[in-house]
Amino acid sequence: MTAAVCHDLDHPGFNNTYQVNARTELAVRYNDISPLENHHCAVAFQIFVQSDCNIFSNFDSEAFKQIRQGTITLILATDMARHGEILDSFKQKVDNFDYSDEEHVTCLKMVLIKCCDISNEVRPMEVAEPWVDCLLEEYFMQSDREKAEGLPVAPFMDREKVTKPTAQIGFIKFVLLPMFETVMKLFPQIEEAMVQPLRESRDRYEELKQIDDAMNEVQKKKSENLTMGGKKM
């Protein structure tokens, strides 16, 4: 619960790739290793040392040590650069999952906080879509700054190359569904509540992409006709 509440504390709105490429103070401080996630952890525990915010004051030192380590482990797991590594590790355990095995349970916690972190498309469309718009605007602001500073720009963040449907289709198909469907092996009950909404969201964005493609094709033909008409004149 603590990791979930604190996992994005003091987020500056520019991802780790930008931090590293721009050589920001955070990237330098954390040696380019998950600079944002390390920062979120540090800010959390800076808050907890304040007497009026110390929710762990009644725990003994050994219990606090375990809580602190577990919180750090889970917040660092939300770095998307580690997505493949964490999901692959969970896939190796899920078919013979052992709740008495601490490594198995820790891996499950890491996957679950990742599910929570990027679960927007699980929610109803009227809730999820405004957040997609906010996320894309954050991406576009970053790519604009990267262009201005002469830094590499990720194609999925470039306002000139990405649309809402193309961004969401890829994310749902290649990130969300594989992860949630793997978790579904352990918790079959999430299919109706989580996996099916993801599939419906994917289908809706694919329909929107088809509409966009058709409109773009019409616009392209109009432009070609205008060009040909101009040449004839």
Side-chain angles (χ1 to χ4, degrees), residues 55-182:
I55 59 175
F56 305 119
S57 59
N58 291 327
F59 289 89
D60 62 40
S61 59
E62 184 56 36
F64 175 74
K65 182 180 177 181
Q66 291 181 20
I67 291 168
R68 174 171 160 78
Q69 185 54 57
T71 302
I72 292 169
T73 296
L74 294 185
I75 292 179
L76 292 181
T78 62
D79 182 354
M80 285 302 293
R82 298 182 59 202
H83 178 79
E85 161 212 335
I86 293 170
L87 185 56
D88 286 346
S89 177
F90 183 64
K91 284 179 178 178
Q92 293 170 13
K93 299 172 176 62
V94 70
D95 290 330
N96 297 290
F97 195 84
D98 182 359
Y99 283 99
S100 66
D101 187 319
E102 186 177 345
E103 183 182 344
H104 282 220
V105 173
T106 297
C107 188
L108 172 60
K109 290 178 184 177
M110 292 165 76
V111 170
L112 291 180
I113 196 169
K114 284 175 56 56
C115 286
C116 295
D117 186 24
I118 55 177
S119 64
N120 184 53
E121 289 294 350
V122 171
R123 296 185 283 184
M125 179 191 70
E126 62 272 17
V127 177
E129 193 159 15
W131 286 107
V132 173
D133 293 334
C134 291
L135 181 63
L136 285 176
E137 191 52 41
E138 183 177 296
Y139 284 174
F140 294 156
M141 287 175 61
Q142 175 172 317
S143 66
D144 290 345
R145 177 178 287 196
E146 287 168 334
K147 291 174 185 177
E149 296 178 359
L151 299 173
V153 178
F156 72 91
M157 300 180 86
D158 191 336
R159 69 172 74 242
E160 296 173 7
K161 296 180 180 178
V162 72
T163 65
K164 190 191 303 185
T166 58
Q168 294 309 101
I169 290 167
F171 191 60
I172 294 169
K173 287 176 68 172
F174 301 114
V175 178
L176 294 180
L177 276 173
M179 180 167 65
F180 276 86
E181 286 174 347
T182 303

